[in-house]
Amino acid sequence: MHAINVNAGLAHTRANYQLLHEVPGRCRIRVARLRVDNAVRERISHRLSCSPLVSNFRLNPACDSITIEHMGQFDALLEMLLQPSTMLATLPTGQLQKIQNKTIEFSPFSAMALATTALVLGPAGGFGLDLLLIVLTGFPIWRRAVTTLFKERRFNVDFLDGLALAIAVLRREPRTAAVIAMMVHLGDVVRELTARQSRGHMRELLDFQVVQVRRLDAQGNITLIPAQSLLCDDMALMMAGDLVPADGMICSGLASVDQRHITGESVPATRRVGEMVFAGSSIVEGSITVQVTEVGANTVVAKIVQVIASAPVGETRIQNYAEQFADRLVAPLLGVNVAMLALTGNVDRFMSMAIVDYGTGIRVAAPTSILSSMTRAARQGILIKSGHHVEQLATLRGIAFDKTGTLTSGHLTVLDVRPMHARISADRLLQLAAAAETQLRHPVARALVLHAEQVRGLTLPLCEDVQFVIGMGVSAVIAGQHLHVGSARFMHSLGIATGKAAKYLAEAEAHGYIVLLVALDDRLVGAIACSDAPRPEARAVVAGLRARGVAHIVMLSGDREGVARRVADAVGIDTVYSEILPHDKAEIVRTLRLKYGPFAMIGDGVNDSPALAQADVGISLVDGADIARDAADVVLMEEGLHQLLPAIDICRDGMALIKQNFNLIAGANTLALALAVPTGLMSPMACTLISNGSGLLATLNAMRPLLASRKNA
């Protein structure tokens, strides 16, 4: 651990950094005091911007976290952040002096309280006291304006607010100054309250961490322990009224489980032996014994909270465009304002025009709308990882579906085991194939293992040197023999002749079956046919996408043409790409995205990960492979495709709310400007109420999805 000899407020050690989430090239880190200490923010921002390890980063002070796109590992980033030079030595002299002479910075609530006090005191407090309060509360506004002016060499909306506030102070108009400061800070207060409400929603999902649990030992004895003490593979008894303390599989019993916070299901679901229950759910009726599979931060609901807490919400193109437009108006408005002042000498008109502000309301209302929509989605079991993907999902033009496990149920049934060698029986053929697949999570692998062990009662031998070729098959060594299980294309790539299976393959394809070929020591010894029915909801989901204007819907599959076509026809998809490899999927998605605009990919397997990463929006299912969920931008936490249409609807509602708020802000400010410029009818106080009040109303309007999610909970 590094000991850094600097001010206590700036000192950071390893304990101050926590890795929240990591995928190759990207991580999220929680940083102690990031939200409350501006010096920490400045120090870390400077260090990250200067580091050759970092290509991009975003600070999220509200959640004490940073998202970093990098070319190294977390350990290397941590060592870089912990270097003594990170703290002070590498900072420019001016910035170092600024940090060392850091002035007290009030929270939005403190600044609001000071401005309100100044307004209430009025003349009774004497202008000296009013002046002191207003200067203190105006300091954050002036500092933001000056910082933008000198660092970015441009005017922003804070400059106009700060200018109007300064003039009111110089003219000894304490009430006007107090109203200006109060309305500016009121927007910050509402934004902070919204963030707190959202964090409150998230904390509700983590209530399971503080409950007591009935743990069962091997003799069936019950011990009451805290949920934090549960370990994987522990057995826990849960009864009506209990909050589920961990993710786990039901070993005995039957229960009605309310899991609306996890999956979005509006009514309790019946859960039986062999099915999963998730932490944060509650037992409505019945009792169950559960074998714990994930605890604490590794549970599904904890991961939802983790992603939402550190997700960047203010990065949509529509918001950026609106902010840039608002900032570009500052200089022209200021020029017109100065010219009007020179011609008329009317300082009140000058102040009124300076107060008109198109940008502040946008900066508050847009992220609030995005955060509200993401929180609403999370409470319905839809995990959206950033604000940018809210916009992309709302404007979706096309979507590509994986077949197996996505459009189909993924619960395959073994229909036929056909030996093609005199010395290999059907049971031995199935035993070999299932043994090679035991380490894989693909639906075909699960079907083979289940059929071999539970239907045929076979004991599977151990395999060595297992090698999985994505989208093709698996190779292994068993009892000194080389075993290969996979598609006909896999066998061809290995130089194994498949002529004796040609007729069988043709017949199976005609029926839409999936066929695995099995080879031992480079000789084909048999084939296994499986069937996978389309998901019951798939056809309605495809129709719903078309009804929402998603015109370009395709299916991508590594299966043969006949198998892929049968599923596509059943769910209503016309365009099918069959017999393609994982890198082909990624290239197809890239081409479609460039051709049609925002394009999504939805899949659940390892082989879908390249295409998920290539899409504008990658969507994964909750029971998909870990790498697929990591690569995806949206995760549907309920099994199946039911949540895809609600996800799009929530995102479209969020974007419509942003546009509605933009219109409200633009309309109110334009009205104030129209009355202030030609006639001077608008007083500075009235302009403040209209301009900042419109931003406040827009922010409150942006919170409606949070209220809706609370009502539906």
Side-chain angles (χ1 to χ4, degrees):
M1 182 178 295
H2 293 253
I4 300 171
N5 185 23
V6 293
N7 293 336
L10 297 178
H12 263 207
T13 64
R14 287 181 183 274
N16 297 113
Y17 296 93
Q18 177 188 357
L19 179 63
L20 297 175
H21 177 70
E22 184 177 26
V23 296
R26 189 170 181 266
C27 67
R28 292 190 185 94
I29 302 173
R30 178 162 288 148
V31 182
R33 299 185 56 80
L34 188 69
R35 180 170 65 87
V36 298
D37 196 330
N38 187 56
V40 170
R41 294 196 295 274
E42 291 181 347
R43 168 183 62 75
I44 292 178
S45 295
H46 177 77
R47 189 59 175 174
L48 291 175
S49 63
C50 295
S51 172
L53 293 173
V54 178
S55 56
N56 193 18
F57 69 92
R58 294 189 224 53
L59 269 66
N60 191 350
C63 299
D64 281 340
S65 69
I66 311 171
T67 300
I68 304 174
E69 296 176 13
H70 60 87
M71 294 171 283
Q73 300 297 323
F74 172 67
D75 289 341
L77 290 172
L78 184 56
E79 291 300 326
M80 177 268 295
L81 290 170
L82 288 171
Q83 289 175 9
S85 58
T86 300
M87 298 297 173
L88 296 175
T90 62
L91 296 176
T93 303
Q95 191 173 355
L96 172 60
Q97 188 68 29
K98 178 180 176 182
I99 291 176
Q100 291 174 335
N101 298 328
K102 186 173 181 290
T103 307
I104 296 174
E105 180 179 344
F106 295 103
S107 71
F109 299 96
S110 300
M112 179 72 180
L114 290 174
T116 305
T117 302
L119 179 64
V120 172
L121 284 178
F127 185 66
L129 178 59
D130 277 356
L131 176 64
L132 175 62
L133 294 175
I134 291 168
V135 168
L136 287 175
T137 194
F139 178 75
I141 303 171
W142 292 324
R143 191 178 69 172
R144 289 197 299 263
V146 172
T147 299
T148 302
L149 182 61
F150 283 96
K151 284 190 174 182
E152 302 180 25
R153 300 188 181 281
R154 66 180 178 87
F155 296 110
N156 67 347
V157 292
D158 288 315
F159 185 87
L160 295 180
D161 289 332
L163 181 62
L165 182 61
I167 293 173
V169 170
L170 293 174
R171 295 185 71 193
R172 294 179 172 269
E173 297 178 358
R175 287 189 176 276
T176 300
V179 170
I180 293 172
M182 188 175 68
M183 293 303 294
V184 170
H185 291 302
L186 186 57
D188 294 333
V189 167
V190 171
R191 177 167 52 185
E192 177 64 22
L193 289 174
T194 303
R196 289 186 182 184
Q197 183 179 11
S198 177
R199 290 194 291 270
H201 283 305
M202 294 296 102
R203 281 195 297 270
E204 286 180 6
L205 299 179
L206 298 178
D207 286 345
F208 71 91
Q209 295 180 333
V210 297
V211 301
Q212 296 288 305
V213 184
R214 303 178 191 88
R215 183 172 63 185
L216 295 172
D217 61 21
Q219 289 73 40
N221 300 316
I222 297 177
T223 305
L224 202 62
I225 64 170
Q228 296 96 320
S229 300
L230 270 180
L231 301 174
C232 289
D233 295 326
D234 278 352
M235 304 295 292
L237 173 64
M238 300 171 202
M239 306 175 70
D242 287 351
L243 202 62
V244 178
D247 294 352
M249 180 175 291
I250 300 175
C251 298
S252 65
L254 178 71
S256 177
V257 181
D258 182 352
Q259 50 188 28
R260 72 183 71 182
H261 294 324
I262 316 300
T263 66
E265 295 171 287
S266 58
V267 296
T270 301
R271 289 292 177 260
R272 299 176 173 83
V273 174
E275 296 183 327
M276 292 290 297
V277 289
F278 299 103
S281 306
S282 58
I283 308 299
V284 179
E285 294 178 330
S287 64
I288 52 177
T289 301
V290 173
Q291 182 178 17
V292 174
T293 57
E294 298 289 353
V295 297
N298 293 322
T299 58
V300 168
V301 67
K303 289 179 178 178
I304 291 177
V305 173
Q306 187 181 100
V307 171
I308 293 296
S310 56
V313 298
E315 53 178 33
T316 58
R317 284 183 300 173
I318 186 172
Q319 178 191 345
N320 292 339
Y321 175 79
E323 287 184 359
Q324 291 168 8
F325 176 75
D327 282 347
R328 285 172 186 161
L329 287 178
V330 172
L333 285 175
L334 186 61
V336 171
N337 205 356
V338 171
M340 294 288 289
L341 177 63
L343 290 174
T344 65
N346 190 330
V347 179
D348 284 337
R349 178 184 292 174
F350 181 86
M351 290 177 61
S352 298
M353 292 177 62
I355 290 166
V356 173
D357 173 4
Y358 288 86
T360 299
I362 290 171
R363 289 191 177 92
V364 176
T368 302
S369 299
I370 293 294
L371 180 61
S372 298
S373 298
M374 291 172 65
T375 305
R376 176 188 172 194
R379 293 185 67 87
Q380 294 189 32
I382 303 161
L383 181 57
I384 304 174
K385 296 183 180 179
S386 82
H388 173 68
H389 297 112
V390 171
E391 182 175 35
Q392 294 286 67
L393 204 55
T395 57
L396 211 59
R397 299 295 303 276
I399 185 168
F401 285 90
D402 170 52
K403 182 184 75 67
T404 303
T406 303
L407 282 174
T408 64
S409 64
H411 304 303
L412 278 77
T413 302
V414 176
L415 301 177
D416 183 42
V417 181
R418 181 71 56 89
M420 296 180 180
H421 190 280
R423 296 182 181 178
I424 299 291
S425 66
D427 280 355
R428 180 58 176 167
L429 181 66
L430 179 62
Q431 190 180 44
L432 290 172
E437 301 274 0
T438 50
Q439 298 182 26
L440 306 181
R441 293 184 58 188
H442 193 276
V444 174
R446 291 198 295 263
L448 288 181
V449 174
L450 183 67
H451 191 76
E453 292 183 334
Q454 299 188 14
V455 178
R456 299 284 185 102
L458 302 175
T459 300
L460 304 184
L462 295 177
C463 292
E464 300 175 348
D465 194 23
V466 178
Q467 298 181 7
F468 176 49
V469 182
I470 296 176
M472 299 278 278
V474 61
S475 298
V477 175
I478 183 167
Q481 294 181 292
H482 293 277
L483 175 66
H484 307 286
V485 182
S487 63
R489 186 174 44 183
F490 182 47
M491 298 300 167
H492 294 157
S493 71
L494 298 172
I496 299 173
T498 61
K500 65 173 69 176
K503 182 179 179 181
Y504 187 81
L505 287 170
E507 292 174 353
E509 184 176 337
H511 289 88
Y513 299 154
I514 298 169
V515 177
L516 290 179
L517 298 181
V518 183
L520 200 60
D521 285 338
D522 297 334
R523 295 174 59 185
L524 188 70
V525 295
I528 301 174
C530 305
S531 178
D532 185 14
R535 292 186 184 272
E537 75 277 9
R539 189 173 187 88
V541 169
V542 171
L545 288 170
R546 288 203 172 94
R548 286 163 175 77
V550 183
H552 310 287
I553 303 175
V554 304
M555 188 180 82
L556 310 179
S557 175
D559 287 327
R560 298 169 70 90
E561 171 68 22
V563 177
R565 176 55 63 184
R566 179 182 69 90
V567 173
D569 290 343
V571 301
I573 294 178
D574 300 323
T575 305
V576 178
Y577 297 87
S578 58
E579 300 186 62
I580 55 176
L581 297 173
H583 67 270
D584 296 327
K585 287 186 179 182
E587 182 60 27
I588 290 169
V589 168
R590 189 187 73 84
T591 302
L592 294 172
R593 176 172 62 84
L594 293 175
K595 183 176 181 180
Y596 296 116
F599 217 90
M601 168 70 192
I602 178 167
D604 71 325
V606 174
N607 60 322
D608 299 318
S609 301
L612 291 172
Q614 187 63 238
D616 291 297
V617 184
I619 306 172
S620 179
L621 306 184
V622 66
D623 54 354
D626 291 341
I627 190 172
R629 293 198 302 272
D630 287 340
D633 308 304
V634 177
V635 181
L636 307 181
M637 304 306 293
E638 180 183 354
E639 184 178 356
L641 299 171
H642 303 89
Q643 294 171 308
L644 181 57
L645 299 181
I648 294 174
D649 292 340
I650 288 172
C651 292
R652 289 186 174 182
D653 289 346
M655 297 310 297
L657 200 57
I658 290 177
K659 293 177 181 178
Q660 186 181 99
N661 290 333
F662 286 178
N663 291 334
L664 173 62
I665 293 166
N669 281 278
T670 301
L671 173 63
L673 194 62
L675 293 175
V677 173
T679 63
L681 292 178
M682 296 293 289
S683 69
M685 191 175 296
C687 270
T688 299
L689 292 173
I690 290 178
S691 180
N692 294 86
S694 66
L696 176 61
L697 288 176
T699 302
L700 294 173
N701 187 44
M703 295 172 63
R704 285 194 292 119
L706 286 178
L707 301 177
S709 67
R710 169 73 69 178
K711 183 178 179 181
N712 295 331

